[in-house]
Amino acid sequence: MSLAELMSQIQELPKIEKLRLMQFLATELVKEEDANFFVANQEYPIWSPYNCSEAANVLMNLLATKQQEPNG
């Protein structure tokens, strides 16, 4: 199957199937790039918005400022 044929078939897929295809392709690219990208039983820190009151205050102040503007 040529790439043009494949792309034509992909365009006909429903949105959820396209998202699953993107996830599959991203996973495949990571596997090809570095086999040790994620190591089993390893902890990886991630950022979370929980307990970030300072950031919330900045956003609330920005929102309040925008609402006070004539076009806000």
Side-chain angles (χ1 to χ4, degrees), residues 1-34:
M1 175 181 295
S2 71
L3 181 59
E5 292 171 328
L6 182 59
M7 290 175 67
S8 174
Q9 289 186 358
I10 290 171
Q11 287 176 330
E12 296 175 10
L13 291 174
K15 188 178 200 176
I16 189 69
E17 293 298 320
K18 289 177 184 175
L19 290 171
R20 287 182 181 137
L21 176 60
M22 286 174 38
Q23 182 180 17
F24 169 78
L25 291 173
T27 302
E28 288 298 306
L29 288 170
V30 168
K31 286 180 188 176
E32 290 177 11
E33 184 66 27
D34 185 1

Side-chain angles (χ1 to χ4, degrees), residues 55-69 71-72:
N57 288 335
V58 170
L59 290 174
M60 289 301 292
N61 290 337
L62 178 62
L63 179 60
T65 302
K66 286 291 185 184
Q67 288 177 341
Q68 291 173 0
E69 291 178 2
N71 295 334

Side-chain angles (χ1 to χ4, degrees), residues 32-50:
E32 290 177 11
E33 184 66 27
D34 185 1
N36 296 318
F37 190 76
F38 288 112
V39 179
N41 301 317
Q42 176 77 28
E43 290 186 13
Y44 296 94
I46 58 168
W47 180 84
S48 170
Y50 295 107

